[in-house]
Amino acid sequence: MSQRMRGSQPLIVMSEDAQQVKDRDAQEYNIAAARAVAEAVRSTLGPKGMDKMLVDSMGSVTVTNDGVTILTEMDIDNPTAEMIVEVAETQEDEAGDGTTTAVAVTGELLKNAQDLLEQDIHPTAIIKGYHLASERARQEVDDIAEEIDTSDEEILRRIAETSMTGKGSEFNKGLFSELVVDAIGHVTVETDEGDDIVDLEFLKIETQTGQSTEQSELLAGAVIDKDPVHDDMPRIVEDAKIMLINESIEVEEADVDTEVSVSDPEQLQKFLDQEEDQLRRKVEQIKDTGANVVFCQKGIDDLAQHFLAREGILAVRRTKKSDVEFLKEVLGARIVSDLDDASADDLGSGSITRDISDDMFYVEGENGHGVTLLLRGSTDHVVDELERSINDALDVVAQTVSDGRALPGGGAVETEVARRLRDYADSVSGREQLAVESFADSLELVPRVLAENGGLDSIDTLVDLRAAHEDGQVRAGLNVHTGDIEDTFESGVIEPAHAKEQAIASATEAANLVLKIDDIIAAGDLSTGGDDDMDDMGGMGGMGGMGGMGGMM
Ligand code: ADP
Ligand code: MG
């Protein structure tokens, strides 16, 4: 490598270890890396997608079907591959679902770009064509999208179910879609303009292992997985006046480090009495506000625990900050940060109950709002995957409620948009036209992979789908369970429009970012860039392994 630089660019001074890869080599290298990532998640797409088991360097195991989880846990150590992981992360942040689609389409856009590069089409033409196609595709998605009645719970449940298919929640999707839609309903508020907005701050997910997933439930208020600090405290407080406090109920440390040296027993006793008085006063202050329950974010001194128990006050220490903040919403309370200023106004009213089998407090507020989705499952793996899939479903339903647009799933949109893009391509001049066509082909990856993962013939499926769309059936998609081409909106495979638009936008941006690079200058040796732990990706790090990549796709 260094030879190449010596001749033409004598001014660049790089270390002996440095490597430079230019032009087509750089593009090929990057495309291979990006495609390897896309390949890694493709088999999880759709309801018949398989799960991945990820084992990290500490040996801890995650079993998931969730695109973004797979990619973030994979510990990828290749700069280009990391850019693709960012696509998944952006998609997750912006839309909450559709991560696998976004990454798989990115990979396909790059694969098709490689074919164009091989036909000597300049990367800038491809980039421009992809950009045009992406804009147009999003317009078409909007055109295909159905305006839905966001109070129609039936449709919202279908949207939740579509996002959950293939995930841990699928077997009880009836129950979970109902829980999700119910939960969102509880935290939806109408603005003065009459728009619905969903405030997910008022919704908390709690997980509990040991029971079956069907025991999951939606609860009004909060669930606090904590024990009282003292055995003599009440477990159930029906008429609760609850104080939330984020300072410790302990002896105040002197500001400066003072050393107390005690010479005689009397002095020691005096000192201890002083401490006791201080704690007694704090408990007195709590009692004076009328509080009979305290959730403290910090510690509670043993002696204070004893005083509180004697007053019949239920106290919990080291409550998680997020729990305290959620309790504030649930109770409509204020968080006390200094007991000297605490008053009855700070308290929240409600009730505290406790389920013996769960060992958790249920806190219900009188004036606040907020609901908890308590997810249960036999083991941590089950609950974790359930939580991921419920999170996706919540995001998707929340978004649909705010956005009001939905799409037919099962590859219907992708096939229709591809068809329309091919028409549109005719109006695009120059080589960009070929890029627009490649973009259309790339979108059709979605129905192809859905079929493939469902054990169906992907070519036959695509042919049938295209024919249906040529015939004007805009909502014709694949039902992976029967293999039939049908109106998927009608049959209840429904997706939110926003997530699809976002997936198209982020896939295009990522593909174009990769295509724009024509020069890789690495401080170290590129061939050791791959992660040793990952055989799949190992070959990608080295330029020598490039030939092998083609076989994988
Ligand atoms: P992503 O991470 O992109 O959301 P998923 O694994 O959740 O990936 O798969 C989403 C895809 O599966 C969408 O294209 C959706 O339309 C499709 N899909 C969901 N349910 C069905 C179904 N019953 N039949 C066909 N396709 C489905
Ligand atoms: Mg999904």
Side-chain angles (χ1 to χ4, degrees), residues 61-77:
V61 175
T62 307
V63 177
T64 187
N65 181 286
D66 189 50
V68 74
T69 308
I70 295 169
L71 294 174
T72 47
E73 302 258 322
M74 248 169 41
D75 189 20
I76 289 170
D77 185 18

Side-chain angles (χ1 to χ4, degrees), residues 110-398:
L110 287 168
K111 174 173 172 254
N112 289 327
Q114 195 165 19
D115 292 343
L116 295 176
L117 289 170
E118 271 156 26
Q119 295 168 43
D120 272 334
I121 295 178
H122 197 271
T124 45
I126 304 175
I127 290 169
K128 175 130 183 273
Y130 276 3
H131 179 73
L132 287 172
S134 164
E135 302 242 293
R136 184 61 176 236
R138 278 174 285 156
Q139 287 167 19
E140 298 299 350
V141 167
D142 184 55
D143 184 67
I144 297 165
E146 304 276 341
E147 296 283 337
I148 61 157
D149 173 4
T150 54
S151 59
D152 181 345
E153 296 200 347
E154 186 59 31
I155 285 204
L156 296 180
R157 273 205 293 275
R158 293 280 175 259
I159 291 172
E161 283 176 15
T162 302
S163 112
M164 289 186 304
T165 45
K167 309 280 196 292
S169 48
E170 177 165 21
F171 297 110
N172 292 303
K173 63 181 179 185
L175 166 69
F176 285 113
S177 63
E178 207 170 306
L179 288 177
V180 164
V181 172
D182 237 19
I184 295 293
H186 275 94
V187 297
T188 303
V189 282
E190 202 174 309
T191 62
D192 295 340
E193 288 82 46
D195 295 327
D196 282 336
I197 50 166
V198 181
D199 196 339
L200 292 174
E201 295 275 301
F202 294 133
L203 173 63
K204 200 151 190 288
I205 296 187
E206 286 291 335
T207 57
Q208 182 79 345
T209 53
Q211 292 185 47
S212 69
T213 45
E214 296 106 80
Q215 310 293 322
S216 300
E217 53 192 325
L218 183 68
L219 301 162
V223 175
I224 308 293
D225 191 0
K226 279 275 176 188
D227 296 323
V229 285
H230 198 286
D231 281 345
D232 294 342
M233 287 177 174
R235 259 70 178 162
I236 293 172
V237 185
E238 265 172 32
D239 213 350
K241 297 275 177 264
I242 302 159
M243 178 184 285
L244 307 174
I245 170 164
N246 65 8
E247 74 160 3
S248 66
I249 308 173
E250 287 168 343
V251 177
E252 276 161 37
E253 307 266 335
D255 281 346
V256 261
D257 255 338
T258 44
E259 205 166 297
V260 194
S261 55
V262 267
S263 43
D264 63 296
E266 222 169 283
Q267 229 178 333
L268 177 65
Q269 192 53 48
K270 214 169 130 202
F271 180 69
L272 291 176
D273 285 349
Q274 247 175 26
E275 288 203 341
E276 191 179 318
D277 281 348
Q278 220 186 85
L279 292 170
R280 207 188 292 276
R281 206 181 65 240
K282 282 184 192 272
V283 173
E284 208 60 39
Q285 284 173 323
I286 292 171
K287 194 182 144 215
D288 286 348
T289 62
N292 52 9
V293 179
V294 178
F295 284 101
C296 180
Q297 202 179 310
K298 306 253 172 72
I300 303 177
D301 186 278
D302 286 354
L303 201 53
Q305 294 175 13
H306 169 75
F307 291 146
L308 285 163
R310 217 169 49 190
E311 297 293 348
I313 295 175
L314 164 62
V316 173
R317 70 174 165 178
R318 308 227 175 271
T319 314
K320 277 191 285 180
K321 185 166 185 251
S322 58
D323 281 343
V324 171
E325 270 155 18
F326 187 59
L327 280 171
K328 175 176 168 252
E329 307 296 345
V330 165
L331 297 165
R334 282 203 292 259
I335 298 175
V336 173
S337 50
D338 186 353
L339 274 176
D340 293 338
D341 305 329
S343 76
D345 293 343
D346 297 324
L347 308 183
S349 306
S351 68
I352 309 261
T353 48
R354 194 171 172 86
D355 192 306
I356 321 266
S357 60
D358 271 346
D359 270 348
M360 299 190 293
F361 286 115
Y362 299 114
V363 185
E364 218 172 309
E366 239 160 54
N367 307 316
H369 29 239
V371 288
T372 299
L373 197 47
L374 181 58
L375 301 178
R376 300 177 190 274
S378 49
T379 68
D380 281 334
H381 294 309
V382 171
V383 174
D384 288 352
E385 179 66 349
L386 180 62
E387 184 178 2
R388 280 189 286 273
S389 101
I390 295 293
N391 257 321
D392 282 4
L394 284 169
D395 281 342
V396 158
V397 172

Side-chain angles (χ1 to χ4, degrees), residues 52-107:
K52 300 247 177 229
M53 180 190 261
L54 305 156
V55 185
D56 73 10
S57 50
M58 305 296 289
S60 98
V61 175
T62 307
V63 177
T64 187
N65 181 286
D66 189 50
V68 74
T69 308
I70 295 169
L71 294 174
T72 47
E73 302 258 322
M74 248 169 41
D75 189 20
I76 289 170
D77 185 18
N78 172 291
T80 323
E82 276 169 17
M83 285 172 18
I84 307 305
V85 176
E86 278 170 28
V87 178
E89 285 168 353
T90 313
Q91 180 70 20
E92 179 74 13
D93 289 349
E94 298 285 323
D97 196 13
T99 51
T100 313
T101 305
V103 172
V105 170
T106 308

